[in-house]
Amino acid sequence: MPILETREISVRFGGHLAVNEVSLVVDEGQITGLIGPNGAGKTTTFNVITGLQPPTRGHVLLDGRDITDVSAHRRARRGIARTFQRLELFGSLTVRDNVLTAAELRAGAGVDPGAVTDQLIERVGLTAVADQRADALSTGSARLVELARALACEPRVLLLDEPASGLDEAETDRFAEILLDLTGDGLGILIVEHDVPLVMRLCAQITVLNFGEVLASGTPIEIQRNTDVIDAYLGQDPGAPG
Ligand SMILES: Nc1ncnc2c1ncn2[C@@H]1O[C@H](COP(=O)(O)OP(=O)(O)O)[C@@H](O)[C@H]1O
Ligand SMILES: [Mg+2]
């Protein structure tokens, strides 16, 4: 059963069709990849799913229910969380306080945000640096703080926009392990990422965008063998930043 679905969403910016009838699915406990060249419409698709960008047409469904007209704030409450392409941490705050501010927003009656924070920090493996300022962290650790902040919203589905950019190989491996561990609890993940080997390793399904349209979708093996995908994306330099 899909947790999250887009049905033929389109976004027009003036005369430019940035997203053109994009349909994709994120299943419970699985990672779906959203890949494609720079400018293909990946971040715009994320913005439509999270409610930051109203689609020109099409629908977004969470647990089979149409949430296209639900505000970004209420979508977050219902379990859609994201991280951003550029890190958005409070540099002068500690790791712990960065996560705590997110946990406090979410905490209901009878929940101790401090305890939730400590659990999340442990879950992403940052206990040793919990008292360090966020601006003193390596990029890898900063990405994990961002992940912990997103998890503080108790998401059912998590959208990650280029989470491995700037990470070295060991940091990428650690990040991948944590993501796979999270899916074990049923979390669905949609990941935009240019690190193709990482996407192939993590994802059950991959959707490839090109010029705003779905070029292909399928398993990692199907995508790697797809000649349209090779011509448009995989044959290029997939490591180019964007
Ligand atoms: N707010 C905006 N206004 C106008 N055009 C935009 C806006 N956001 C993105 N675009 C354009 O939409 C297209 C898709 O952008 P984006 O979704 O950021 O692509 P990707 O994340 O795949 O690199 C690009 O051509 C980009 O220039
Ligand atoms: Mg982008």
Side-chain angles (χ1 to χ4, degrees), residues 95-119:
V95 167
R96 191 168 192 284
D97 285 342
N98 265 281
V99 180
L100 185 61
T101 53
E104 279 171 343
L105 285 177
R106 176 69 190 202
V111 177
D112 174 6
V116 170
T117 296
D118 291 339
Q119 277 167 23

Side-chain angles (χ1 to χ4, degrees), residues 13 16 18-19 36-45 53 85 161-162 242:
F13 294 119
H16 178 59
V19 173
N38 291 329
K42 304 180 297 292
T43 296
T44 304
T45 298
Q53 172 67 53
Q85 195 167 344
D161 201 350
E162 302 193 20

Side-chain angles (χ1 to χ4, degrees), residues 7-233:
R7 290 201 186 149
E8 298 184 355
I9 53 169
S10 297
V11 176
R12 181 179 286 284
F13 294 119
H16 178 59
L17 202 51
V19 173
N20 190 3
E21 301 194 350
V22 169
S23 299
L24 60 82
V25 166
V26 180
D27 285 315
E28 195 172 317
Q30 292 203 330
I31 306 180
T32 298
L34 184 62
I35 64 174
N38 291 329
K42 304 180 297 292
T43 296
T44 304
T45 298
F46 266 27
N47 290 343
V48 170
I49 293 170
T50 55
L52 292 182
Q53 172 67 53
T56 312
R57 46 167 306 227
H59 299 273
V60 181
L61 287 84
L62 182 67
D63 293 319
R65 275 190 236 147
D66 195 321
I67 57 162
T68 315
D69 296 324
V70 173
S71 70
H73 173 74
R74 287 177 61 198
R75 287 185 207 198
R77 285 250 153 209
R78 289 195 199 176
I80 299 179
R82 78 178 293 173
T83 64
F84 286 89
Q85 195 167 344
R86 277 190 224 146
L87 284 163
E88 306 217 337
L89 297 179
F90 301 111
S92 65
L93 296 186
T94 62
V95 167
R96 191 168 192 284
D97 285 342
N98 265 281
V99 180
L100 185 61
T101 53
E104 279 171 343
L105 285 177
R106 176 69 190 202
V111 177
D112 174 6
V116 170
T117 296
D118 291 339
Q119 277 167 23
L120 289 169
I121 288 175
E122 187 167 351
R123 184 99 205 238
V124 300
L126 291 177
T127 305
V129 295
D131 294 321
Q132 278 187 27
R133 276 172 61 125
D135 56 12
L137 298 172
S138 66
T139 306
S141 295
R143 293 265 173 213
L144 292 171
V145 178
E146 216 195 9
L147 180 63
R149 282 177 56 86
L151 294 173
C153 306
E154 296 171 26
R156 307 208 38 234
V157 58
L158 178 63
L159 279 61
L160 304 170
D161 201 350
E162 302 193 20
S165 78
L167 304 198
D168 65 27
E169 220 175 297
E171 290 173 328
T172 301
D173 277 347
R174 190 164 148 223
F175 200 88
E177 297 277 309
I178 292 168
L179 293 188
L180 288 170
D181 180 51
L182 291 168
T183 61
D185 296 345
L187 183 70
I189 297 177
L190 181 64
I191 184 171
V192 166
E193 181 51 59
H194 286 292
D195 182 336
V196 170
L198 176 66
V199 169
M200 297 298 166
R201 173 173 148 206
L202 288 177
C203 296
Q205 291 288 320
I206 297 170
T207 294
V208 186
L209 293 189
N210 194 31
F211 296 113
E213 295 186 15
V214 175
L215 183 66
S217 56
T219 63
I221 287 174
E222 288 164 351
I223 294 301
Q224 273 171 304
R225 289 179 181 161
N226 184 304
T227 51
D228 291 339
V229 177
I230 293 167
D231 289 346
Y233 183 59

